[in-house]
């Protein structure tokens, strides 16, 4: 994945639970999505966004979580976002 412009964010030593997740992803050869670097950099400022996202994607809804993921993937594709 192309490096971010904010190297101090991407190279920040993540605390738990992000550190374990990052280690597992690196071990599996999976690139770490840049948004996760931002979440790990200032978790006190991004935890609410993570909870909101989980609520939208996994909370009660007439749409299955997989359908919501497909909508999100299509939206990202249309916006030319690799995430």
């Amino acid at each position: 994945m192309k490096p971010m412009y904010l190297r101090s964010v991407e190279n920040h030593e993540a605390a738990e639970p992000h550190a374990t997740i990052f280690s597992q992803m690196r071990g599996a050869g999976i690139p770490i999505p840049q948004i996760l670097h931002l979440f790990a950099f200032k978790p006190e400022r991004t935890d609410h966004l993570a909870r909101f996202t989980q609520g939208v994607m996994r909370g009660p809804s007439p749409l299955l979580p997989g359908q919501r993921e497909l909508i999100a993937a299509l939206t990202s594709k249309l916006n030319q976002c690799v995430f």
Side-chain angles (χ1 to χ4, degrees):
M1 186 170 287
K2 185 177 176 182
M4 291 191 295
Y5 292 106
L6 304 172
R7 294 192 196 287
S8 61
V9 172
E10 194 168 18
N11 295 328
H12 177 73
E13 188 69 32
E16 293 300 337
H18 298 97
T20 298
I21 294 167
F22 288 5
S23 176
Q24 290 171 343
M25 291 178 79
R26 286 184 184 112
I30 300 169
I32 300 167
Q34 294 173 346
I35 189 75
L36 292 184
H37 286 292
L38 290 172
F39 280 26
F41 185 67
K42 297 280 185 178
E44 69 281 0
R45 296 184 185 164
T46 56
D47 282 347
H48 66 285
L49 179 58
R51 286 191 309 274
F52 170 78
T53 302
Q54 284 301 309
V56 168
M57 297 303 285
R58 303 285 183 260
S61 171
L63 297 175
L64 296 171
Q67 291 171 316
R68 291 179 262 178
E69 291 287 348
L70 285 173
I71 292 168
L74 176 61
T75 301
S76 293
K77 171 107 172 114
L78 294 174
N79 289 323
Q80 300 178 347
C81 174
V82 296
F83 183 72

